């Protein structure tokens, strides 16, 4: 992966719907060259997919919580993670260092739904305890990191 690939990735992170022609203009290549490079990035697993970014509140998911999960002494992290993945309201799961083994992002419609979700989460075999932080507002989320800024500034 070279600096041109990094600039293509940065451009796609800003606008995943950009055409190959638009990408080509932004990185100084032809549309066919960009198409070939994007295909290689997808094949190599660098680009893993494309998705729509949706405002959770507008689709009825107005409550977001971050839940730290401490496993039991006999728990297997892979088993706990697999069970967490079965809960539809768990949007993200991070294995972390520190007192918790995992931090999950939960999105639900109401605080009552959050309480029920936490009950299901606590009943997972291998979960010893949880602690929950309810998100009051989201200042930013899912933004491209400095790779996009470097591309705009002409860095590599």
């Amino acid at each position: 992966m070279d600096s041109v690939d990094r600039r293509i990735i940065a451009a796609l992170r800003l606008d995943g719907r950009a055409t190959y022609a638009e990408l080509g203009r932004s990185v100084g290549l032809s549309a066919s060259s960009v198409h070939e490079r994007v295909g290689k990035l997808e094949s190599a697993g660098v680009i893993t997919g494309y998705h729509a970014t949706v405002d959770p509140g507008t689709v009825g998911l107005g409550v977001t919580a971050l839940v730290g999960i401490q496993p039991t002494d006999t728990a297997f992290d892979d088993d706990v993670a697999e069970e967490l993945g079965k809960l539809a309201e768990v949007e993200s799961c991070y294995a972390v260092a520190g007192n918790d083994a995992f931090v999950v992002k939960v999105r639900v419609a109401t605080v009552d739904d959050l309480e029920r979700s936490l009950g299901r989460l606590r009943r997972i075999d291998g979960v010893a305890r949880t602690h929950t932080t309810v998100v009051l507002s989201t200042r930013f989320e899912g933004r491209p990191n400095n790779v996009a800024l470097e591309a705009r500034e002409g860095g590599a």
Side-chain angles (χ1 to χ4, degrees):
M1 186 165 52
D2 62 13
S3 64
V4 174
D5 288 336
R6 286 183 178 82
R7 292 186 358 243
I8 290 170
I9 292 166
L12 284 170
R13 291 188 74 194
L14 291 172
D15 180 6
R17 296 181 67 167
T19 66
Y20 294 124
E22 291 166 338
L23 291 170
R25 281 191 292 278
S26 73
V27 300
L29 293 176
S30 68
S32 61
S33 293
V34 170
H35 182 263
E36 182 180 334
R37 282 178 175 258
V38 169
K40 287 179 181 177
L41 291 166
E42 290 170 345
S43 295
V46 175
I47 297 174
T48 59
Y50 302 87
H51 68 277
T53 303
V54 177
D55 177 352
T58 64
V59 294
L61 300 174
V63 177
T64 301
L66 304 174
V67 183
I69 299 169
Q70 293 181 353
T72 62
D73 290 338
T74 59
F76 291 102
D77 286 354
D78 289 344
D79 294 340
V80 173
E82 183 177 335
E83 292 302 312
L84 290 168
K86 293 178 183 177
L87 299 177
E89 61 271 30
V90 174
E91 183 176 291
S92 303
C93 177
Y94 307 97
V96 297
N99 291 331
D100 299 325
F102 299 102
V103 173
V104 296
K105 184 192 309 180
V106 174
R107 289 200 199 262
V108 292
T110 67
V111 173
D112 288 340
D113 291 333
L114 177 59
E115 184 176 10
R116 285 187 287 277
S117 294
L118 292 172
R120 284 191 295 277
L121 197 149
R122 289 182 187 120
R123 286 190 295 276
I124 292 174
D125 189 36
V127 172
R129 72 180 47 96
T130 65
H131 66 274
T132 303
T133 302
V134 175
V135 175
L136 299 177
S137 67
T138 301
R139 304 304 169 107
F140 59 85
E141 180 176 58
R143 67 183 181 147
N145 65 16
N146 63 358
V147 171
L149 296 175
E150 290 173 5
R152 275 191 253 139
E153 297 170 357

